[in-house]
Amino acid sequence: MIGITAYGAYIPYHRLSRKAIAEATGETALPGQRAVAGPDEDSVTMAVEAARDALGGQRGDGLDAVYLATTTAPYREKQAAATVAAALGVRPSVRAAAFSGSLQAGASALLAAVDAVRAGSAGSVLVAVADLRPAAPQGPLESIVGDGAAAFLVGSGPGVLATLEAAHSVTADLVGQWRGAQDPFVRSWEERFVVSEGYGALVREVLIGLRERTGLGPADFARVILHPLHPRHHAALAAGLGFRPEQVQDPLFAAVGLAGAAAAPLMLAAALAQARPGDRLLYVSYGDGADALVFRVTEAASQFRPRRGVAGWLEVGREGLTYMRYLRWRGLVPAEPGRRPARPRPSAPALWRRRAKNLALTGSRCTACGTPQFPPQRVCVHCQAVDHMEPYRFADRPARLVTFTADHLAAAVDPPTLLGAIDFEGGGRMLVELTDCMANELHVGMPVEMTFRRLYEAEGIQNYFWKARPVRTAGEGE
């Protein structure tokens, strides 16, 4: 039995209402809101968050491979999946691979993971899918897309939550939506052509092929997770294929927006959380062709819950992001430079030497007295023992804010820069940037948690590290 053994999701904290977009652009307002990644987030950081949600606070020690699927990797030449693996504290002897260039990338990665497990070349594979699609201001995509990520562990054995029963794929070289090497935004051909010759035709074709191979039709599925190209076409296509409205998984358009390659994976994560043992789920991707994957939910699914999942992230989102602030975060309007000089390009040798500290947030713990400390030390700050240290990971440990300040002079996309000192539960103090919050929300003693973020980019090099954010429960962010 091979299939999904864990799943998780990530939806950014900030939400931009489509009414705010319409008021600023003069276009017709669509209902709902879109999730917006902060200026310190990208597809890598969101993938790490979704993976941590799936892992439930555990390190990825048991992983044999890490796959990242996205159309918006931060580098054109550099393995972003390696950064995801490093942030999760995965051992070096794993395979990392990227699946990119298509909205189908998530399904491609899932199928490759299943093939790797079936072939015996991997026992457990992490598939993280994240996207942050660039849409032109005032264009039709701007209010439709959203940002987000989902992650799945693929393995075998009695811990499988949903086994892959069957799959069928079709491939088509159709120019529907694309982004060339020099294009800053996603481009699209005329809508009727994309829907009639691409989306509608290819999804029908893949489902006909699946039925011929398996005999399964609409009545055999509890849920259909159909890639949402547009909310209007999504509902019409599902009905035209013979699915009843109650079978169709919510595309999350009203609350998140369509998250590109991560849209259908987010829907799958939400469907798994609601599924009952014995349910059949039909997952249909769309991009340069289509994939149809049939999952059968097992008894083990009722025992698994992600740390937050789609529902948990939706509950803690914050509305009220202004359109101008969103444009500034995306670099679409000029911003006043900071009062201090911009930070220089990070040193590659320094990044390499400090990778465990910077990417996995690994400090040290004294084996003589047990005191954790960050950054890693040779001499214990408590008992002064020398070279009696072991690696100690802080990323998933609860912490509390000790003190904080707002820096209005530092160069930042979204000033002021919030800085604080935090104390970890079990020991260890750290100076850290704070994110996903305003200065007036902070107070000494408040619980915080660590989140993997992008500090800055200089000369094409992304500099990642960890920040702290307030721990929120349902309703706090609104």
Side-chain angles (χ1 to χ4, degrees), residues 86-454:
L88 296 174
V90 176
R91 57 188 164 81
S93 56
V94 299
R95 179 178 301 167
F99 295 75
S100 61
S102 172
L103 297 177
Q104 280 178 272
S108 301
L110 278 171
L111 289 169
V114 169
D115 286 346
V117 173
R118 182 176 291 134
S121 60
S124 181
V125 181
L126 169 69
V127 175
V129 193
D131 234 348
L132 193 158
R133 300 185 84 198
Q138 208 171 350
L141 270 181
E142 184 180 49
S143 61
I144 293 175
V145 299
D147 308 325
F152 306 91
L153 297 186
V154 175
S156 61
V160 170
L161 312 179
T163 181
L164 182 68
E165 284 192 332
H168 183 66
S169 300
V170 296
T171 299
D173 184 19
L174 183 143
V175 180
Q177 291 186 339
W178 72 98
R179 184 159 52 92
Q182 306 303 322
D183 288 330
F185 306 112
V186 175
R187 305 178 68 172
S188 181
W189 201 263
E190 196 269 328
E191 187 173 315
R192 286 178 301 173
F193 169 76
V194 175
V195 173
S196 63
E197 299 297 325
Y199 185 54
L202 293 173
V203 168
R204 285 181 187 278
E205 183 179 343
V206 79
L207 292 186
I208 290 171
L210 180 73
R211 186 160 196 164
E212 289 174 351
R213 293 180 62 170
T214 65
L216 297 173
D220 296 302
F221 299 101
R223 288 277 176 180
V224 56
I225 297 100
L226 178 61
H227 175 87
L229 186 68
H230 186 287
R232 182 173 66 252
H233 303 310
H234 175 263
L237 179 58
L241 293 169
F243 293 100
R244 303 185 307 276
E246 60 269 25
Q247 288 179 282
V248 182
Q249 185 65 32
D250 179 3
L252 301 171
F253 172 74
V256 179
L258 308 183
L266 274 169
M267 296 165 64
L268 177 59
L272 286 168
Q274 301 162 349
R276 295 173 299 182
D279 283 352
R280 263 202 191 97
L281 308 180
L282 174 61
Y283 175 100
V284 184
S285 71
Y286 170 72
D288 300 278
D291 303 289
L293 284 66
V294 179
F295 291 101
R296 191 67 175 261
V297 179
T298 71
E299 290 288 342
S302 59
Q303 305 300 316
F304 177 85
R305 287 292 177 271
R307 192 152 61 172
R308 282 201 172 96
V310 172
W313 290 113
L314 288 176
E315 289 175 345
V316 298
R318 178 175 192 156
E319 301 176 5
L321 179 66
T322 65
Y323 184 66
M324 185 56 69
R325 198 173 172 206
Y326 157 77
L327 292 179
R328 195 172 70 241
W329 286 5
R330 293 290 190 268
L332 299 175
V333 295
E336 183 177 338
R339 299 296 195 271
R340 296 196 187 106
R343 286 181 272 193
R345 183 180 69 180
S347 159
L351 290 176
W352 172 248
R353 286 195 297 267
R354 299 168 185 164
R355 61 191 184 282
K357 175 178 77 73
N358 291 352
L359 298 180
L361 200 63
T362 301
S364 58
R365 179 169 58 185
C366 177
T367 57
C369 69
T371 302
Q373 36 218 289
F374 190 92
Q377 304 290 322
R378 287 188 61 199
V379 181
C380 178
V381 297
H382 181 68
C383 72
Q384 285 76 55
V386 179
D387 289 337
H388 286 276
M389 294 290 178
E390 62 181 2
Y392 186 84
R393 182 170 154 90
F394 286 89
D396 295 306
R397 302 189 182 279
R400 288 190 179 274
L401 189 61
V402 177
T403 185
F404 61 93
T405 188
D407 184 347
H408 292 264
L409 301 179
V413 176
D414 194 35
T417 300
L418 301 178
L419 303 160
I422 60 174
D423 277 350
F424 288 95
E425 188 175 295
R429 174 167 290 189
M430 180 179 175
L431 300 177
V432 66
E433 281 192 32
L434 302 161
T435 190
D436 288 353
C437 59
M438 307 288 282
N440 59 9
E441 300 174 65
L442 301 175
H443 60 85
V444 171
M446 74 185 303
V448 296
E449 61 187 357
M450 305 309 293
T451 176
F452 188 69
R453 295 299 171 100
R454 190 179 61 162

